Amino acid sequence: MMKCELNGLMERRWSKVQAAQDLKPPSFTTKTVLRWYEEVCELSLTLENTNRKYLSNLSAVGDKVLLDCEDVADRMLETLQQEGVCSDAEAQDLKETHIMPLIEDWGAKHKETLLVLGEEFSDQAARFKSNEHLLYDFQNKAAEIWTEYGARVTAKNNELAALVKKCRLKHDEINQQLESSLDMVMDKMRQDTNDIELKRHLDKATEALDEIAASYSNFKKDMADVIKTYPDMVTGELLSYSVKMRKHLGCYTEEEEEKEKEEEEGEEAKGEETADENIKDQPPEDPTE
């Protein structure tokens, strides 16, 4: 029973340790790593308590065996005395010089064995705790790197959303002015009293519609230019994540670090040309003037 229970606990703990390889993005967070670590610690504590319980039971069994052996020896000596094989003094001398040393020697060996087992288990538990903590630190650091990467990508998404909103607001402002000018021309058309004035205002209305169409075309191009910057924005963060993970894994060389610095400098120089500079729409002249 003792062996089965201890083996079962060790197998459960080993299975939980192996579950560390399943801690992968995108569900890979410091919270999941901490929960995994706490579950392993709980199993380790259960294993330690179970081992101490059985060592205590074995110690109690050993003490009982010693008492039983001494009791059996006393009964055997008593039988020898009753049969007249030896006297009381000889029986007492036999017990003290031959029987008790054997019993005490077995008891000492039993206690020493239990002591060795306890020390071996304590050493094994200490080594496991140390390795377990190292594994936790390793996994937790990897999770922190992933979390930081996710936060930085989210920031880039927000940055892109802000650029898109700025582009849209600029277009809305220009379009509002164009539509206002068109409304003014249409009002004048409704007030025209001759064909000449009507034709002149109709031409202006047509020009205003063409400007509105051009504004939407520029808006489409500006939005495309803004969105095209997103791959570069995310690629930079992905490269940074890759470098940090390789450093964490210990497979990042100095040559790669120098190359990465050069690439980062190039990305920074390229990033100075922001997407909002690509927005080229300007408020048009009032066609009614």
Side-chain angles (χ1 to χ4, degrees):
M1 179 178 177
M2 176 184 72
K3 184 176 181 180
C4 291
E5 185 174 356
L6 291 175
N7 285 341
L9 286 171
M10 292 180 68
E11 289 176 2
R12 285 175 57 194
R13 187 178 67 173
W14 177 240
S15 177
K16 181 58 66 175
V17 170
Q18 288 184 313
Q21 62 187 345
D22 297 327
L23 300 176
K24 304 173 184 177
S27 60
F28 187 39
T29 64
T30 54
K31 289 184 178 180
T32 58
V33 175
L34 179 60
R35 184 162 54 250
W36 164 83
Y37 177 68
E38 289 175 344
E39 290 174 353
V40 175
C41 289
E42 184 178 353
L43 285 172
S44 295
L45 181 60
T46 302
L47 182 60
E48 291 177 24
N49 291 335
T50 302
N51 185 74
R52 280 194 290 266
K53 179 187 71 174
Y54 281 117
L55 285 177
S56 178
N57 291 343
L58 289 174
S59 178
V61 169
D63 293 339
K64 186 176 185 305
V65 169
L66 290 176
L67 293 175
D68 289 344
C69 287
E70 186 175 358
D71 186 53
V72 170
D74 289 338
R75 289 201 302 271
M76 291 177 63
L77 291 173
E78 184 179 355
T79 301
L80 291 176
Q81 294 174 34
Q82 292 175 354
E83 296 293 334
V85 177
C86 64
S87 63
D88 292 344
E90 290 174 335
Q92 188 64 28
D93 181 67
L94 179 62
K95 177 181 178 180
E96 293 177 356
T97 57
H98 295 284
I99 298 177
M100 288 307 298
L102 291 175
I103 296 175
E104 291 172 356
D105 183 59
W106 181 90
K109 289 181 179 179
H110 179 70
K111 290 182 178 180
E112 183 179 358
T113 300
L114 294 182
L115 180 62
V116 171
L117 287 175
E119 290 177 350
E120 288 180 352
F121 184 82
S122 296
D123 292 341
Q124 183 185 31
R127 287 195 302 271
F128 183 87
K129 285 181 179 179
S130 177
N131 293 332
E132 177 187 19
H133 191 70
L134 289 175
L135 181 57
Y136 166 73
D137 287 341
F138 178 84
Q139 291 289 80
N140 191 60
K141 179 62 177 178
E144 289 177 353
I145 294 174
W146 171 255
T147 301
E148 180 185 0
Y149 165 72
R152 294 177 69 89
V153 169
T154 299
K156 291 298 182 182
N157 290 340
N158 294 336
E159 182 181 343
L160 178 68
L163 291 174
V164 169
K165 182 179 180 180
K166 183 177 181 180
C167 181
R168 184 178 299 278
L169 289 175
K170 186 173 182 64
H171 165 73
D172 291 343
E173 180 182 356
I174 295 172
N175 193 57
Q176 185 178 5
Q177 296 179 23
L178 292 172
E179 290 180 354
S180 178
S181 298
L182 178 61
D183 290 340
M184 294 174 62
V185 173
M186 296 298 293
D187 288 340
K188 291 182 178 181
M189 286 180 64
R190 284 190 287 269
Q191 298 173 12
D192 288 337
T193 58
N194 57 69
D195 292 344
I196 296 175
E197 290 296 322
L198 181 62
K199 186 177 183 307
R200 185 170 69 86
H201 287 130
L202 180 61
D203 291 339
K204 287 186 177 182
T206 302
E207 292 175 2
L209 289 172
D210 290 339
E211 289 178 353
I212 292 175
S215 174
Y216 274 101
S217 178
N218 289 335
F219 171 66
K220 177 182 177 181
K221 182 179 181 301
D222 292 339
M223 287 291 285
D225 290 339
V226 169
I227 294 173
K228 285 178 182 178
T229 64
Y230 183 71
D232 291 334
M233 295 165 63
V234 177
T235 298
E237 297 302 332
L238 184 59
L239 289 175
S240 176
Y241 170 73
S242 176
V243 169
K244 289 180 180 179
M245 280 304 301
R246 280 184 286 163
K247 286 182 178 179
H248 180 56
L249 295 172
C251 56
Y252 190 72
T253 62
E254 294 181 358
E255 292 77 6
E256 289 177 316
E257 187 172 2
E258 291 296 329
K259 183 179 178 181
E260 182 63 27
K261 287 182 179 179
E262 295 177 358
E263 291 178 353
E264 288 180 356
E265 291 175 357
E267 289 293 332
E268 290 177 358
K270 184 177 180 180
E272 292 178 356
E273 300 178 358
T274 57
D276 56 326
E277 293 178 352
N278 295 323
I279 302 175
K280 301 177 181 178
D281 282 344
Q282 298 295 331
E285 297 181 356
D286 191 341
T288 61
E289 295 179 355

